[in-house]
Amino acid sequence: MSTIVSFITACIFLWMMSGLSYSTSYGQVFPEDHPLTGADNKVFVVTNRIVDTTAQGTVIFTNRIDSVYGLKYLSAYKENGDWSVVKYDNLEHLLANATPYSGWLAWVHGDGQSFLISVERALEIQRLHQVNMLVFSWPSKAPDKSPIGNFKNSRINAVRSAPYLNEFIHLFNRLKIEKESPVKFSIFFHSLANFMLESEIEQGFLDD
């Protein structure tokens, strides 16, 4: 894995997120062939969150791990200050999108990140460093818990998310080998995501 994955563990991206409240709601999820797929104001997302839909059709990305349906593959688009998402059947379909840059950076965020905050920050990183962003979004912000309670809950979720992260890394690696792609791919673990990586190694997921 070391030939395609570079682990960057230093915390180098810090932003003040004033004006961003905790929210995981979106207007709707568009199908894979929606015209938004050609836009360049997008980031890619792989998530193991449970996704709920209200009676009004609003999509909610929860702070719970989806142990039934597993990983979901999305692209998130920001237009006029609003976010929408397009869902894909698998990682290959997601990565078939047109991208503005040649290199890829997968970002595994840390503690205290809602789905909304994670895609906002990813878009900032993408524009600043001109690299295609792929966010691994995992449940790390519980609105009903104190900061300490949230951190403890996030540590549990980090351990439980390790198998899903392993699945994503191996899927990306397999696609890269099958397509003989020369694309540069790095992965950045921020804050508590390093604990997830440690758990993944302890569980033997990266032995192969």
Side-chain angles (χ1 to χ4, degrees):
M1 298 298 296
S2 60
T3 59
I4 66 165
V5 180
S6 61
F7 297 112
I8 310 170
T9 56
C11 299
I12 58 176
F13 300 114
L14 297 176
W15 281 271
M16 295 298 294
M17 297 303 291
S18 57
L20 269 181
S21 60
Y22 174 75
S23 174
T24 53
S25 301
Y26 292 83
Q28 59 182 308
V29 175
F30 293 109
E32 189 170 322
D33 59 352
H34 192 274
L36 275 177
T37 56
D40 60 0
N41 55 336
K42 66 187 175 188
V43 293
F44 299 95
V45 183
V46 175
T47 183
N48 64 337
R49 297 174 185 264
I50 289 178
V51 181
D52 289 337
T53 304
T54 67
Q56 292 73 32
T58 301
V59 179
I60 307 295
F61 293 86
T62 72
N63 195 65
R64 293 171 291 152
I65 292 175
D66 192 338
S67 59
V68 176
Y69 296 104
L71 293 178
K72 298 159 198 68
Y73 308 96
L74 311 163
S75 52
Y77 298 82
K78 189 174 186 180
E79 187 173 17
N80 299 323
D82 296 323
W83 284 92
S84 298
V85 294
V86 175
K87 64 179 180 179
Y88 296 84
D89 292 335
N90 52 54
L91 183 62
E92 183 174 7
H93 288 184
L94 175 65
L95 299 180
N97 269 262
T99 55
Y101 308 109
S102 58
W104 286 85
L105 175 62
W107 176 44
V108 188
H109 64 69
D111 186 33
Q113 304 291 301
S114 68
F115 185 89
L116 174 60
I117 292 177
S118 69
V119 293
E120 287 277 4
R121 289 184 170 178
L123 188 58
E124 291 180 5
I125 296 171
Q126 177 168 283
R127 290 172 172 172
L128 179 63
H129 295 280
Q130 298 187 352
V131 63
N132 302 312
M133 288 297 297
L134 202 166
V135 185
F136 184 86
S137 182
W138 59 283
S140 66
K141 186 175 178 65
D144 59 338
K145 296 185 181 297
S146 67
I148 294 178
N150 184 80
F151 181 76
K152 291 179 179 179
N153 186 66
S154 293
R155 281 179 63 91
I156 295 173
N157 282 344
V159 173
R160 293 179 59 203
S161 294
Y164 300 95
L165 176 63
N166 176 69
E167 179 183 352
F168 158 63
I169 291 176
H170 279 78
L171 281 172
F172 195 103
N173 185 41
R174 179 178 60 80
L175 290 173
K176 186 174 186 298
I177 293 174
E178 288 178 355
K179 296 182 179 298
E180 299 181 346
S181 172
V183 65
K184 295 181 179 179
F185 173 62
S186 298
I187 186 166
F188 168 48
F189 294 85
H190 178 256
S191 183
L192 194 60
N194 289 284
F195 180 67
M196 186 189 304
L197 173 60
E198 179 182 345
S199 176
E200 186 171 357
I201 294 172
E202 290 178 350
Q203 294 180 57
F205 288 125
L206 296 180
D207 290 346
D208 57 350

